């Protein structure tokens, strides 16, 4: 290596270029160590790169050594490295001048057992699983359209920008960021406090309570993500009333928060896509459903209209429906006049056929007399019962009233009783007078309607030999014996051929002779 001495340099110390230093270090390391065997825990292993090479690190409790497996060697390995696995590798130490790092170029890999961190992680996982914190039955459903989303992550990293950008593109909602450290010893406490703090926000408070919480971090090694394996974080997420989406690391990374969260996202961007739907898709779905609804309503209306038209064609017309009732109405109207005429004639015949007889009038008079007599017989008993009732009341109230008040009440009731007796006498006399007047009127009516009154006016009653009245002249045959009753007596006669009547004998009629049968034609 040739030293460079600038002409204007005032120091005799040799100067080297960066490449010269890097090359010297590379030769020194490779010459000094050559092939070595190194035991360590695999960290940051993501599988082969797109180029086919594999990059990761070997670590122990104090140091870390970068490692690389070239594509040709990787394809020949019988045992592949795994994250967290302790392995023994054989290779050559070298440096990478592009980043001033030294690394081991691995030529073979042997398993050496699980690393300390992985063993601790498995032990913690079994403990929490035994408590049931990872059961699917405890997981809550993610809201379809949250109004507020809380994000627990670093406020300065690319993760929060990716989440906000994706949410804004899909469906803009209110995003609350709780800043935490996502790497280091305080990560577990800060993340658990953030989840508990979001749950402690009151409904309707000045700071809106999230409907969904996203815990997010970018990819990294097991050591970088170790804070999300903290027991306090697992218990805080399990106790959260708000659904939690875990978006820690890349798709190949996993932590205990992924097992306890209600949903695991492969990346923070994937968590944003799980959190909110696509607004444009929803609008398109609503528009599509609206169009389908309008089409369905239109088709249903058309179908109902066609069915109504088909039914209307099957129904008779209004004239057909009203034809039979109209005909019945016309027939009833035609029969109505005839029915009225017939009813009038029938009533007239019924009225003309009514015959009053002395027996009928006598029966009505007897009924009136009987009711009057019955009323007169009941009246003393009613008054006696009234007097007894009043006397009973007087006896009952005697103990409650003073002699003076009793005397006054006796005088009062004696006056009322006297008035009642006077009214009773007056009422009885009035009823008897009305009964006599009704009887006299009935007698006069009977006398005026009897055939004797008609005979007094100059008429005569003609009877045949069978003592039956003869009502028509055509019923009298020549030589027929007749009985002619006048008001003052009866005369026998024989019908002549020329219609003359010859008197044979006469007698005065008896008032009760023949009774109702004596009615007949009067000449």
């Amino acid at each position: 290596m040739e030293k460079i001495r600038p002409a204007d340099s005032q120091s005799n110390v040799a100067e080297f270029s960066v490449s010269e230093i890097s090359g010297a270090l590379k030769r020194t390391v490779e010459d000094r160590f050559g092939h070595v065997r190194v035991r360590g825990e695999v960290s940051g292993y993501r599988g082969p790169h797109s180029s086919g090479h594999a990059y990761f690190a070997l670590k122990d409790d104090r140091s870390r050594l970068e490692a690389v497996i070239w594509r040709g060697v990787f394809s020949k390995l019988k045992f592949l490295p795994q994250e967290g696995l302790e392995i023994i590798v054989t290779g050559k130490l070298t440096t990478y001048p592009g980043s001033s790092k030294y690394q081991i170029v691995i030529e073979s890999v042997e398993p050496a057992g699980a690393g300390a961190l992985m063993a601790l992680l498995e032990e913690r996982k079994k403990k929490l699983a035994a408590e049931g914190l990872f059961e699917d039955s405890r997981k809550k459903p993610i809201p379809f359209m949250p109004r507020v989303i809380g994000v627990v992550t670093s406020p300065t990293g690319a993760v929060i920008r990716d989440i906000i950008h994706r949410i804004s593109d899909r469906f803009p909602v209110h995003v609350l960021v709780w800043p935490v450290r996502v790497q280091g010893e305080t990560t577990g406490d800060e993340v658990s406090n953030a989840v508990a703090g979001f749950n402690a926000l009151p409904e309707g408070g000045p700071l809106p309570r999230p409907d969904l919480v996203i815990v997010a971090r970018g990819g990294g090694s097991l050591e970088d993500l170790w804070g999300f394996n903290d027991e306090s974080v697992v218990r805080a997420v399990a106790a959260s009333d708000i659904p939690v989406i875990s978006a820690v690391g890349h798709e190949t990374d996993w932590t205990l928060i992924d097992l306890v969260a209600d949903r695991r996202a492969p990346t923070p961007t994937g968590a944003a896509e799980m959190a909110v739907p696509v607004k444009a898709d929803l609008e398109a779905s609503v528009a599509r459903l609206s169009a389908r609804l309008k089409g369905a309503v239109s088709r249903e209306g058309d179908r109902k209209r066609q069915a109504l038209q088909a039914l209307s064609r099957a129904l008779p017309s209004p004239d057909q429906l009203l034809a039979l009732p109209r005909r019945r109405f016309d027939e009833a109207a035609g029969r109505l006049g005839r029915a009225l005429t017939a009813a009038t004639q029938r009533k007239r015949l019924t009225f003309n056929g009514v015959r009053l007889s002395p027996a009928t009038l006598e029966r009505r008079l007897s009924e009136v007399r009987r009711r009057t007599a019955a009323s007169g017989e009941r009246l003393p008993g009613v008054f006696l019962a009234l007097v007894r009732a009043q006397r009973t009341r007087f006896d009952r109230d005697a103990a409650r009233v003073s002699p003076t008040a009793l005397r006054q009440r006796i005088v009062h009731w004696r006056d009322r009783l006297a008035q009642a007796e006077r009214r009773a006498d007056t009422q009885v006399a009035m009823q008897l007078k009305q009964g006599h007047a009704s009887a006299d009127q009935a007698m006069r009516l009977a006398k005026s309607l009897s055939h004797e009154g008609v005979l007094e006016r100059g008429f005569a009653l003609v009877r045949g030999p069978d003592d039956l009245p003869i009502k028509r002249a055509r019923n009298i045959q020549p030589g027929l014996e007749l009985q002619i009753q006048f008001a003052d007596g009866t005369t026998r006669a024989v019908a002549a051929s020329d219609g003359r009547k010859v008197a044979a004998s006469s007698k005065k009629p008896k008032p009760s002779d023949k009774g109702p049968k004596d009615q007949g034609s009067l000449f």
Side-chain angles (χ1 to χ4, degrees), residues 162-428:
D162 292 343
I163 291 176
I164 294 176
H165 177 69
R166 178 60 67 179
I167 291 176
S168 300
D169 287 346
R170 292 172 64 86
F171 200 107
V173 295
H174 191 179
V175 177
L176 292 179
V177 179
W178 195 297
V180 296
R181 292 184 180 89
V182 295
Q183 185 172 341
E185 296 180 357
T186 62
T187 298
D189 293 337
E190 292 186 18
V191 172
S192 59
N193 292 336
V195 174
F198 274 136
N199 281 269
L201 291 176
E203 293 284 353
L207 194 64
R209 189 172 189 262
D211 301 316
L212 178 66
V213 172
I214 298 176
V215 180
R217 185 204 187 282
S221 63
L222 179 62
E223 295 80 8
D224 298 336
L225 305 179
W226 186 252
F228 296 92
N229 292 316
D230 193 275
E231 185 174 344
S232 62
V233 174
V234 176
R235 296 189 181 280
V237 173
S240 174
D241 294 330
I242 304 174
V244 177
I245 296 179
S246 171
V248 177
H250 297 298
E251 187 170 2
T252 56
D253 298 325
W254 68 271
T255 57
L256 294 181
I257 193 175
D258 296 329
L259 301 178
V260 73
D262 300 298
R263 184 76 64 85
R264 178 183 182 272
T267 60
T269 303
E273 294 175 353
M274 291 180 182
V276 293
V278 180
K279 184 177 181 182
D281 293 345
L282 292 179
E283 292 175 347
S285 298
V286 171
R288 184 171 61 256
L289 293 175
S290 176
R292 289 178 59 188
L293 178 61
K294 292 180 181 179
V297 171
S298 178
R299 289 191 299 272
E300 183 67 12
D302 294 339
R303 189 179 66 83
K304 294 293 186 182
R305 189 178 299 106
Q306 292 174 1
L308 180 61
Q309 291 175 357
L311 291 175
S312 64
R313 287 193 296 269
L315 292 175
S317 63
D319 291 337
Q320 293 174 343
L321 290 174
L322 297 176
L324 185 58
R326 187 180 292 127
R327 181 175 178 180
R328 291 177 180 173
F329 178 77
D330 294 339
E331 292 177 354
R335 291 195 302 268
L336 182 60
R338 297 191 298 271
L340 290 175
T341 302
T344 303
Q345 293 176 355
R346 187 166 57 253
K347 295 295 183 181
R348 183 179 292 112
L349 292 175
T350 303
F351 178 76
N352 292 335
V354 174
R355 294 291 184 267
L356 296 177
S357 63
T360 302
L361 296 176
E362 185 66 27
R363 284 195 300 272
R364 292 185 62 185
L365 183 60
S366 299
E367 182 66 23
V368 172
R369 289 173 178 170
R370 185 184 64 77
R371 289 199 298 268
T372 304
S375 299
E377 291 174 357
R378 288 197 303 270
L379 188 60
V382 171
F383 282 118
L384 289 176
L386 180 61
V387 170
R388 284 195 297 271
Q390 294 297 334
R391 185 176 291 113
T392 301
R393 290 186 60 187
F394 293 155
D395 294 340
R396 185 178 65 246
D397 296 339
R400 294 183 296 175
V401 298
S402 63
T404 303
L406 182 60
R407 227 178 272 113
Q408 293 176 352
R409 293 186 65 181
I410 290 174
V411 173
H412 170 71
W413 285 109
R414 186 181 291 120
D415 294 340
R416 292 193 61 180
L417 181 61
Q419 294 176 3
E421 290 178 351
R422 288 194 297 272
R423 287 198 300 271
D425 295 340
T426 303
Q427 186 69 21
V428 170

